[in-house]
Amino acid sequence: MRIRAQLELVAKLKGQKDKAKRQAMASSLMQDLGIDASYVKYQHQMSGGQKKRAAIARAFIGNPQLMLADEPNASLAPDRGQEITQLIRKQVTSKNGSAIMVTHDRSILPYVDTIYELTHGTLTRLEA
């Protein structure tokens, strides 16, 4: 199934009955994530970064109250990783939701409210 069809299916499963709205939602997300040129591609035709952004789009289109992201910036160019982090923050803020991101990438720290660090099996809250 092509990525755009996947996004539209998720929107439909989440209750969006209007096909035009589903298509608009999918197009908007793909454009925001920089994968709008990939809308006709199948998963196996996409690069690693495009696949990651497609997965993020599938999560966003479902309007979750809680997003769990394991290394959301891995396999992305640094500038694209920053954009993705900003989009995650924007999405959860606009929906009054939350995101938990697990990462080694300290460049995302300016975009988070609470930071925990796991060192030698001990979880410590850090000052943001």
Side-chain angles (χ1 to χ4, degrees):
M1 182 180 286
R2 291 183 166 98
I3 184 59
R4 183 176 180 149
Q6 291 176 22
L7 294 175
E8 290 177 27
L9 176 61
V10 172
K12 185 176 183 177
L13 292 172
K14 293 300 274 185
Q16 182 51 257
K17 306 274 188 238
D18 187 314
K19 184 175 182 175
K21 285 184 181 178
R22 290 193 309 262
Q23 290 173 335
M25 290 167 63
S27 292
S28 177
L29 267 176
M30 291 176 69
Q31 186 173 13
D32 286 349
L33 292 165
I35 57 172
D36 48 321
S38 300
Y39 76 98
V40 295
K41 290 185 178 180
Y42 292 97
Q43 196 83 5
H44 71 277
Q45 297 171 318
M46 300 172 83
S47 70
Q50 289 171 327
K51 288 177 184 177
K52 182 164 290 262
R53 288 178 276 158
I56 291 169
R58 284 190 298 273
F60 281 175
I61 207 158
N63 292 319
Q65 288 297 304
L66 175 63
M67 180 179 286
L68 304 175
D70 183 12
E71 297 286 355
N73 296 352
S75 72
L76 297 176
D79 57 337
R80 180 62 72 186
Q82 293 294 315
E83 290 175 22
I84 296 301
T85 303
Q86 290 171 8
L87 282 168
I88 291 172
R89 182 176 175 92
K90 177 182 170 187
Q91 178 76 9
V92 299
T93 300
S94 70
K95 304 295 182 193
N96 200 26
S98 299
I100 298 173
M101 294 184 280
V102 178
T103 186
H104 292 91
D105 184 359
R106 293 189 171 274
S107 70
I108 72 165
L109 296 182
Y111 305 105
V112 302
D113 296 324
T114 307
I115 305 164
Y116 288 90
E117 183 175 64
L118 181 64
T119 307
H120 305 294
T122 302
L123 189 63
T124 307
R125 183 176 176 160
L126 303 178
E127 294 299 319

